[in-house]
């Protein structure tokens, strides 16, 4: 069984290649796959009808209850007969339906063949979820197949509509199946069916009844029953073979199949009965009625299909032995005649170019064989003996008559079916008349001769209708075992051509007579129909729903997705405020009483005040520079707090960071307008203030609550001992940074490196422009020259000239790059001072780096110090001086530093230790004496390099590059 | 041997690669080779790690040999190993894609030289976050990946990118600040930041205080994971970045947030104290997100909204606090990383072929490039949860878990999940209808490149669909399909992992030994 399935998919995958070689004749090759499977199926008859049926089980996802369980039992076998048989014929038909030069046949053929495989899987799956997989795949393939005529807007819309409607039902069904599976404790179809009576005991619970309604919703949407019927006529935009196969013989039968499959277990539910009866009968009448009003042959058939699907659903859903038998008999008969009729319409369309019955005339005389084929199929549809349709309808009427004796509902069902059958007869007649009859006032339609290869498929199918009708015994034998699940077979309820003079036969006769009357008086009926009020059109309801959905989508998105950073931040901060307060109030925690004012250190209060004042002033500042300065004030305030708390390391680092950041800001702000943009006023400003203040207060309360709730001794108390004994350093902060928590530092230096490159990448938009130019390449006095313009005041010019006269130094005595600066930019005092302090600063930075393990300092502080030294060189001597001062490219420093750090991390691993494990080396050097050297220092050197690289990158991008861009503009 | 001993290499190796590509900054070709080699090696290592824990087991490594809770630990369990492998597969595919783009367009127009170090550090940050057994180290992991993402997002420095970058950077910095505050508060209350130690000590706190710390962490992670109402920033910032960058951001970064939420809910704050609240949040995320997707005409923006929407699915699974729900959420994370990244990669290809990602101005793609249509259709259907793809399997797992929980609220969320799934289908099928099926001559004002024939555009002077880019996209789509085929073992892994995480014992024992 699995091989059949796989074969379909594999051949479908390679099908496009076949079409490249063989053109449209490749369809014949494709048709061999379902045809061969059909023959295989015939050999499996005995196995399928044996008590255990044929089962194949493969594990897939046991956690979900989803396994590849297949089972070929009588119901599946009959369905496969239809699916594979019609599939093979339709594929063969395609080889002549399409023109040689039609585009996209490869994909089309592949999809159609895959569809046959999927249908086969659907009707043989013995696992609810597996069946659902095939179920949805048919929807998707139907979408792709309908969309074959992709260039027409209507076809694209119809394809999407069919997809959305069937998936809507499908998803409801999925939930239903899961409810069913959870209730039954298994997703195996046979288990679920066996559990049915037990689950339905006492009327069933809410869960099981919901499950039933949801599952039926899937069936209803798939089988195009009211209120989801509208997608099927729309789907007629598909090529006719698709309509014949998907929308008549196979896919739309999936819903009917599902009802038939579940009926033995669940048809006793009253929810089931009401859904099936009301929707099925309603659909039967509605479809038949609409079919009488259409002028397109295909649409007549489409509405006819809708009507018949309703009929089928009622029969297989009733849950009696006779009805089940009749339902399946009808299903087979319908597959035969409806596929024939669609294929006939395809031929008419192909040969004449139209399907409009107002344009067609006298086709029968041009193509008598085609006409006979159509006539046989239509007669079968109308229920005329001795054809399949008659035989099946006869047993259906019989079953309904048996049922009608029981209840008023039964009478209602019988009446509706009889009425529906009258309509069916009428639209069958209308189809034949419209498609083939000569009509007065219309010239005979041109009709090209139909090649036999084209006609073969419908011919075979119509022969099938005749054989089935005349010798229904075989069919009866195929169907009886399924029907027997509902109770013992009664003598009368066999599928047979002649039951004797029964009430059912009488009804059949009455239907035919009434049908003839309805057809003959078609003009009068048509006028009467037009006069009736039109109900709401389901298709336009669908459109309106989608339109409303789009409106809602736009409204919701417009409300939330405002593109305003202020709004997003307001939402985020408010959320955190509200949630925090909810938790605080809910918990009713006490606040900590400590830390409000530390009596031991009143200066702390001052430092805190400075920090807060800096923050407030920054928020109120109206100039950029002022704002940045005020932020720095906050920063220095925090540094003071660190110092007061006995953390000189942190204080030092914080001071250096603030300084470097201030320089970076000042450099960056040169290109920005000095004033901040107009501050927001009014309610927005009020909102900002409220949120800001509330957030601050909230965090204070959270902090106090958290401190008050402390239950354990913090781990930091152990750090002093750890650092000194195991880390070999007296500076706890440094040992923590480069050893105990070296991994954090390791991560953070990569943040620095990437931040540096980020700044550079924004300034040097393409390429890093990594190399700084040496001073020798620049002409003297070229950098930063103030241009004299007419706008300058006389006094400015005088000042300029004065400064130029005094600031001209002829030699490079102090700084190499000094001479490149314009005289008015130079400051000899600054140059001299720089010359004096630069080397001291570099040496001090190295000291900080090496001493860090025991005294305040470390790689980070050292790197910042070196960076500051570079900054001073740049500020004093301009960008060419920076080029002279920087020993290597920034990228090399960043990369080298990161590399060194990473190698320090890896090296112990090679020696069999842990990543970042450090060792302490003791040795004696002349002059220095005893040295205790922790290998963690290597890591610190990496940190140092990265920090210097960072500062250098900022100076050369925000400084040097912005300089040269400004001069260029 | 303790397999976790090599786990730090998952961070150190890309880190070394970043150092190397810094040094090779003037040689794009060598950079490319170095990056791809480094990421392949990382992936190989992570696959080995996953193989070690595939049948179960949690291992911890003490970095620098320092005892927890003082030193930093890294923890490898099934969840983190799975996330590592999936994220590396995705990042490798995107890297090949990006270098392919560079090679096709000549290096001048390709990714600029800092792309490689930034990208490798991003990967290192993501790996670090997945491995972190220490709350502050998790923060460091976030910082690395965020800073790298700031650089990648603004690459090229065009005005829209800077504008989007500002939104992104400011929101991310705020979320980092909230995270840092939360860590400080947690340390304030418990005196520790080692996650296993916290698992023990948080439980000793007053339940009210636990809730307070819990929501603070969740808000911080919720911003990164893009959970409603903290998600609005995402569709405004991701789509403007270069295509490969958007692809990897969409796939990975939000999932790091989800990962952190999973650890928060299972390890730090077990039980379902906030379960109902999270269910509601998940529902709103799904629905508001997908409605946003319906309102878009640009494929990248539409995909960004579906990204938000499907985060809701993961929150749903997580909020159920059951093994089934958590297992389905884990599976869904792996699925979603792959599929969302592939879709953004395909969209990059669509942009190359059609000159735009606006569906109003695209057409005929099905005819112009059948390969492209297959590459779009499969992950699109996968995203929409069409069977038998992994998106469907994950969804079924979530629905089953929701039904099994059985509360009225869970049923409402089940209904919402199904609706979101349908609307996702509608959104992607609309793209298909317009961009792939419609004829290009019907397009008003098409980009000139859309009207080109053949593989090479004379007008733009570039190969339209370079083999490397198509190949890497196809590879990732194939990985998505493999998730379907091997869903059995993968679900087994997810379930085992979910059981372990909800139990917590293995994790705490691996880190603290018998003291915990």
């Amino acid at each position: 069984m699995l091989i059949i399935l796989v074969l379909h998919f594999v051949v479908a995958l390679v099908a496009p290649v076949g079409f490249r070689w063989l053109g449209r004749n490749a369809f014949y090759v494709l048709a061999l796959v379902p045809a061969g499977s059909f023959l295989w199926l015939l050999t499996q008859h005995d196995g399928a009808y044996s008590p255990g049926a044929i089962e194949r089980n493969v594990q897939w996802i046991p956690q979900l209850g989803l396994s590849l369980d297949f089972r070929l039992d009588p119901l599946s076998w009959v369905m496969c007969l239809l699916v594979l048989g019609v599939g093979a014929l339709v594929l063969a038909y395609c080889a002549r339906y399409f023109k040689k030069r039609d585009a996209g046949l490869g994909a089309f053929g592949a999809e159609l063949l895959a569809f046959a495989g999927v249908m086969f899987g659907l009707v043989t799956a013995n696992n609810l979820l597996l069946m659902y997989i095939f179920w949805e795949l048919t929807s998707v393939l139907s979408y792709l197949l309908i969309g074959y005529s992709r260039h027409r807007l209507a076809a694209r819309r119809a394809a999407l509509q069919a997809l959305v409607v069937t998936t809507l039902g499908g998803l409801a069904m999925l939930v239903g199946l899961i409810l069913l599976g959870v209730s039954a404790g298994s997703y195996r179809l046979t288990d679920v069916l066996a559990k049915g009576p037990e689950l339905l005991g006492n009327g069933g619970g809410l869960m099981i009844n919901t499950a039933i309604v949801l599952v039926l919703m899937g069936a209803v949407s798939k089988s195009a029953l009211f209120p989801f019927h509208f997608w099927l006529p729309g789907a007629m935009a598909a090529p006719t073979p698709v309509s014949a196969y998907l929308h008549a013989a196979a896919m739309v039968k999936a819903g009917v199949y599902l009802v038939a499959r579940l009926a033995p277990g669940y048809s006793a539910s009253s929810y089931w009965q009401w859904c099936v009866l009301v929707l099925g009968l309603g659909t039967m009448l509605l479809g038949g009625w609409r079919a009488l009003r259409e002028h397109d042959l295909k649409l007549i058939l489409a509405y006819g299909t809708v009507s018949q699907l309703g009929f089928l659903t009622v029969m297989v859903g009733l849950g009696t032995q006779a009805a089940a038998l009749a339902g399946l008999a009808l299903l087979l008969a319908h597959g035969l005649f409806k596929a024939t009729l669609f294929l006939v319409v395809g031929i008419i369309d192909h040969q004449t170019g139209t399907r409009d019955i107002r344009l067609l005339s006298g086709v029968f005389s041009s193509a008598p064989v085609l006409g006979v084929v159509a006539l046989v199929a239509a007669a079968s549809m109308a229920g005329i003996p001795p054809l399949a349709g008659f035989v099946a309808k006869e047993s259906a009427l019989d079953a309904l008559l048996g049922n009608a004796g029981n209840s008023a509902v039964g009478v209602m069902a019988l009446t509706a079916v009889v009425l529906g059958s009258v309509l069916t007869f009428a639209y069958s007649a209308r189809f034949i008349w419209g498609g083939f009859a000569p009509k007065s006032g219309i010239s005979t339609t041109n009709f090209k001769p139909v090649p036999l290869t084209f006609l073969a498929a419908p011919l075979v199918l119509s022969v099938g209708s005749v054989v089935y009708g005349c010798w229904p015994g075989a069919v009866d034998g195929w169907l009886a075992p399924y029907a027997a699940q509902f109770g013992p077979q009664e003598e009368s309820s066999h599928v047979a051509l002649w039951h004797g003079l029964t009430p059912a036969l009488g009804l059949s006769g009455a239907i035919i007579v009434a049908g003839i009357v309805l057809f003959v008086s078609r003009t009068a009926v048509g006028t009467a129909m037009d006069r009736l009020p039109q109900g709401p059109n389901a298709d336009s309801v669908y459109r309106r729903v989608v339109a409303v959905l789009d409106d809602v989508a736009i409204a919701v998105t417009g409300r939330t997705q405002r593109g305003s950073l202020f709004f997003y931040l307001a939402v985020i901060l408010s959320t955190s405020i509200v949630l925090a307060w909810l938790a605080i109030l809910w918990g009713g925690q006490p606040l900590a009483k400590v830390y409000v004012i530390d009596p031991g250190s009143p200066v702390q209060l001052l430092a805190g005040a400075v920090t807060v004042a800096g923050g407030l002033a920054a928020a109120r500042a109206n100039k950029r520079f002022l704002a940045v300065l005020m932020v720095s004030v906050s920063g220095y305030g925090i540094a003071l707090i660190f110092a007061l708390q006995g953390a000189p390391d942190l204080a030092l680092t914080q001071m250096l960071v603030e300084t470097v950041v201030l320089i970076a800001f000042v450099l960056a702000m040169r290109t920005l307008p000095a004033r901040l943009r107009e501050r927001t006023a009014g309610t927005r400003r009020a909102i900002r203030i409220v949120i800001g203040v509330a957030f601050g207060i909230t965090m204070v309360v959270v902090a106090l609550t958290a401190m008050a709730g402390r239950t354990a001794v913090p781990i930091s108390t152990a750090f002093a001992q750890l650092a000194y004994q195991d880390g070999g350093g007296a500076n706890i902060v440094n040992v923590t940074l480069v050893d105990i928590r070296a991994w954090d530092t390791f991560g953070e230096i990569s943040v620095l490196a990437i931040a540096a490159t980020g700044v550079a990448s924004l300034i040097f938009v393409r390429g890093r422009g990594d190399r700084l130019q040496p001073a020798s390449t620049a002409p003297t006095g070229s950098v930063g020259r103030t241009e004299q313009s007419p706008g300058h005041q006389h006094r400015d010019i005088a000042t300029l000239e004065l400064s130029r006269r005094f600031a001209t130094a002829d030699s490079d005595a102090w700084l190499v790059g000094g001479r490149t600066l314009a005289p008015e930019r130079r400051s000899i005092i600054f140059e001299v001072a720089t010359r004096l302090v630069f080397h001291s600063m570099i040496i001090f930075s190295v000291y900080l780096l090496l001493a860090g393990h025991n005294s305040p300092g470390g790689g980070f502080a050292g790197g910042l110090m070196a960076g500051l030294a570079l900054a001073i060189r740049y500020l004093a001597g301009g960008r060419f001086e920076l080029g002279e001062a920087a020993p290597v490219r920034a990228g090399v420093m960043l990369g080298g530093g990161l590399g060194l750090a990473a190698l320090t991390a890896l090296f112990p691993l090679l020696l069999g230790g842990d990543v970042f494990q450090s060792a302490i080396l003791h040795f004696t050097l002349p002059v220095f004496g005893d040295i205790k050297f922790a290998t963690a220092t290597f890591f610190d050197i990496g940190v140092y390099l990265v920090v210097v690289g960072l500062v250098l990158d900022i100076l050369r991008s925000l400084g040097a590059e912005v300089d040269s861009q400004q001069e260029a503009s | 041997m303790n397999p976790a001993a090599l786990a730090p290499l998952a961070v150190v190796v890309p880190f070394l690669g970043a150092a190397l590509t810094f040094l090779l900054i003037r040689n794009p070709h060598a950079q490319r080779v170095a990056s791809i080699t480094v990421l392949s090696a990382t992936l190989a290592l992570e696959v080995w790690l996953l193989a070690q824990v595939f049948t179960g087991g949690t291992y911890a490594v003490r970095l620098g040999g320092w005892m927890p809770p003082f030193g930093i630990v890294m923890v490898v369990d099934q969840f983190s190993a799975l996330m590592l492998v999936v994220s590396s597969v995705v990042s490798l595919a995107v890297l090949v894609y990006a270098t392919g783009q560079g090679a096709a367009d000549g290096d001048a127009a390709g990714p600029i030289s800092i792309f490689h170090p930034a990208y490798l550090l991003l990967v290192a940050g993501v790996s670090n976050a997945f491995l972190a057994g220490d709350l502050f180290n998790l923060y460091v992991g976030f910082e690395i990946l965020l800073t790298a993402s700031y650089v990648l997002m603004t690459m090229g420095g065009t005005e829209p990118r800077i504008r989007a970058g500002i939104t992104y950077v400011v929101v991310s910095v705020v979320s980092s600040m909230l995270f840092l505050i939360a860590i400080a508060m947690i340390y304030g209350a418990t005196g520790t930041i080692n996650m296993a130690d916290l698992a023990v000590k948080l439980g000793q706190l007053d339940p009210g205080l636990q809730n307070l710390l819990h929501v603070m962490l969740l808000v911080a992670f919720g911003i990164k994971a893009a959970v409603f109402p903290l998600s609005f920033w995402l569709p405004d910032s991701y789509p403007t970045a270069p295509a490969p960058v958007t692809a990897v951001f969409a796939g990975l970064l939000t999932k790091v947030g989800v990962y952190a939420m999973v650890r928060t809910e299972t390890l730090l704050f077990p039980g379902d104290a906030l379960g109902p609240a999270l269910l509601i949040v998940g529902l709103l995320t799904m629905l508001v997100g997908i409605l946003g997707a319906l309102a878009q005409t640009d494929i990248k923006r539409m995909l960004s909204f579906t990204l938000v929407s499907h985060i809701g699915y993961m929150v749903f699974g997580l909020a159920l606090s059951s093994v089934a729900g958590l297992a389905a959420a884990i599976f869904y994370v792996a699925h979603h990383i792959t599929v969302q990244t592939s879709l953004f990669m395909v969209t990059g290809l669509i942009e190359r072929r059609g000159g735009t990602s606006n569906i109003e101005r695209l057409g005929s793609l099905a005819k112009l490039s059948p390969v492209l249509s297959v590459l779009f259709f499969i992950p699109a259907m996968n995203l929409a949860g069409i069977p038998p793809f992994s998106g469907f399997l994950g969804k079924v797992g979530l629905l089953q878990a929701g039904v099994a929980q059985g509360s009225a609220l869970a049923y409402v969320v089940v209904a919402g999940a199904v609706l979101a799934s349908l609307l996702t289908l509608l959104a992607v099928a609309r793209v298909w209808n317009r961009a792939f099926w419609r004829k290009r001559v019907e397009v008003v004002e098409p980009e000139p490149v859309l009207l080109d024939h053949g593989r090479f555009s004379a007008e733009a002077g570039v190969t339209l669909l370079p083999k490397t880019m198509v190949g890497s996209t196809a590879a990732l789509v194939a990985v998505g399909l493999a998730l379907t085929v091997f869903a059995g073992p993968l679900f087994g892994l997810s379930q085992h992992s979910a059981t372990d995480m909800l139990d917590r014992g293995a994790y705490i024992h691996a880190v603290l030994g018998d003291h915990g």
Side-chain angles (χ1 to χ4, degrees), chain A residues 60-61 63-64 66 129 132-133 136-137 140 143-144 147 150-151 156 159-160 163-164 167-168 171 174-175 178-179 182 187 207 546 549-550 552-554 556-557 560-561 563 565 567-569 571-573 575-576 579-580 583-584 587 589 695 699 702-703 705-707 709-716 718-719 722 726-727 739-741 743-744 746-748 750-751 753-755 757-758 761-762 765-768 770-771 889 891-892 894-896 898-899 902-903 906 909 914-917, chain B residues 5 8-9 11-12 15-16 19 22-23 25-26 62-66 69-72 74 108 110 112-114 118 121 128 134 136-137 140 143-144 147-148 151 154 156 162 167 170-171 174 177-178 181 185 187-193 201 204-206 208-209 211-212 215-216 219 223 229-230 232-233 235-236 291-292 294-296 305 366 377 386-388 392-393 395-397 399-400 403 411 418 422-423 425-426 429-430 432-433 437-439 442 484-485 487-488 491-492 495:
Chain A
W60 187 17
I61 312 174
Q63 292 82 7
L64 297 181
L66 174 52
L129 297 174
Y132 179 78
I133 288 179
E136 272 303 299
L137 281 178
V140 173
Y143 170 64
L144 291 174
R150 58 194 58 161
H151 298 316
R156 296 199 298 263
L160 184 60
L163 180 69
V164 169
T167 306
L168 171 67
L171 285 168
L174 177 62
V175 176
I178 289 175
L179 287 172
V182 170
Y187 288 94
M207 188 156 163
V546 173
L549 188 67
D550 279 334
V552 171
I554 288 170
V556 168
T557 312
T560 55
Q561 214 65 43
L565 184 56
F567 176 70
Y568 301 162
L569 287 183
V571 170
I572 288 172
L573 293 176
T575 308
S576 57
L579 289 180
I584 291 169
Q589 282 285 294
F695 186 76
M699 288 308 127
V702 170
T705 316
M707 297 302 287
R710 175 174 277 192
T711 52
V713 182
I715 56 168
S716 61
F719 268 56
L722 285 173
D726 302 333
D739 201 339
I740 302 179
R741 296 191 68 91
W743 188 258
D744 282 341
F746 184 56
E748 289 295 352
S750 73
V751 171
I754 204 63
T757 39
S761 94
L762 284 179
V765 172
R766 288 219 170 270
R768 265 176 67 87
D770 211 32
R771 186 152 295 172
R889 288 186 282 128
V892 172
L894 294 172
L898 287 180
L903 289 176
L906 281 184
L909 202 61
D914 280 328
V915 166
F916 270 129
Q917 198 161 13
Chain B
L9 291 183
V11 181
V12 177
F15 211 95
L16 262 180
F22 262 125
L23 298 176
I25 217 142
R26 294 170 164 275
R62 298 158 182 185
L63 297 165
W66 294 93
F70 308 108
I72 299 174
M74 280 196 155
I112 50 177
S113 51
I114 55 140
L121 284 178
N128 194 359
D134 180 288
F136 186 76
N137 194 241
V140 173
E143 280 302 284
I144 301 173
T147 316
V151 176
T154 51
I162 301 284
T167 306
V170 172
V171 169
V174 167
M177 177 195 75
L178 290 172
I181 293 175
M185 299 306 164
Y187 183 78
T190 61
T192 184
I193 44 174
K201 289 186 179 159
Q204 296 160 359
L205 296 179
D206 178 274
L209 180 54
N211 281 345
L212 175 60
V215 294
M216 290 193 65
V219 168
I223 299 172
L230 311 171
F232 305 148
W233 58 273
D236 277 4
L291 285 176
L294 281 182
Q296 309 304 318
F305 279 100
F377 195 74
I386 292 293
F392 163 74
L393 301 173
K395 186 173 69 184
V396 167
L399 298 181
Q400 284 183 352
V403 168
Y411 277 112
V418 165
L422 180 71
L423 296 182
L425 179 68
L426 181 60
R430 276 181 176 172
W432 180 261
N433 264 20
W437 271 351
R438 182 171 55 157
K439 262 190 184 165
E442 288 173 41
T484 308
V485 176
F491 247 106
Q495 201 168 43

